[in-house]
Amino acid sequence: MNLVHLLLGTARRLPDQPALAMGWRPVSTYRELAFRVARLSSGLRSKFNLSAGDRVALAMKNCPEYYEIIFACWHAGLTAVPMNAKLHAREFAYILENSGAKVCFVTPDVAAAVPTGTPVEHLKTFYLEAGSPAEVAPQDPAWLFYTSGTTGRPKG
């Protein structure tokens, strides 16, 4: 099962319920989040020329855009590569190269450490017409995590 179906099913059952909040302030309903995810999914594949299984890195602190990107990756059949926002620039560079990530989204606080990153502030410019969720096989990776690398290089 594609993990995005968890979001899409909830959006069908509880469309007007809060999906994301900043503190106690709701910022998105499930309907809104599912709609943005489907549009961003199309944009990721088209504007970045990504294909099923390609990796998309997230060098971001916790924010609503993080969840939009990760669900859009799954919607598009891409593999998310979440990275700890507290890493050093060398560590980000290593993981980006080692993972083969074709694009990396960054929040403003991490942008200096990942100069090739795509700022999350530009996310809306990547929205295209919403498509259907990608078909995925059970062995297709949804995400690729890296160890902290405290005793050597991080391992994916």
Side-chain angles (χ1 to χ4, degrees):
M1 176 178 106
N2 187 330
L3 290 175
V4 79
H5 289 294
L6 298 171
L7 169 64
L8 300 178
T10 304
R12 280 191 297 278
R13 287 189 316 280
L14 305 167
D16 298 317
Q17 291 298 309
L20 298 173
M22 296 282 293
W24 293 102
R25 182 180 59 87
V27 295
S28 179
T29 65
Y30 281 103
R31 175 189 294 123
E32 293 164 343
L33 179 60
F35 181 67
R36 286 196 312 272
V37 161
R39 293 183 66 206
L40 180 57
S41 167
S42 296
L44 290 176
R45 292 193 80 156
S46 176
K47 296 196 178 204
F48 292 101
N49 198 29
L50 300 175
S51 301
D54 282 346
R55 284 140 189 207
V56 175
L58 292 83
M60 305 169 60
K61 285 197 174 178
N62 191 9
C63 61
E65 294 85 0
Y66 184 96
Y67 300 96
E68 186 175 335
I69 293 167
I70 205 158
F71 275 107
C73 285
W74 297 334
H75 193 283
L78 306 170
T79 303
V81 183
M83 297 185 287
N84 185 333
K86 296 179 182 179
L87 293 177
H88 186 276
R90 286 187 319 270
E91 295 165 313
F92 282 125
Y94 172 78
I95 293 172
L96 288 170
E97 182 179 336
N98 184 263
S99 71
K102 297 202 174 171
V103 63
C104 179
F105 286 96
V106 296
T107 46
D109 50 306
V110 181
V114 186
T116 60
T118 301
V120 295
E121 296 84 31
H122 299 162
L123 220 51
K124 290 181 181 175
T125 65
F126 305 121
Y127 291 171
L128 292 178
E129 187 69 29
S132 299
E135 294 290 326
V136 296
Q139 68 273 13
D140 293 342
W143 41 22
L144 174 59
F145 290 101
Y146 275 77
T147 63
S148 63
T150 53
T151 61
R153 289 209 180 255
K155 292 168 188 63

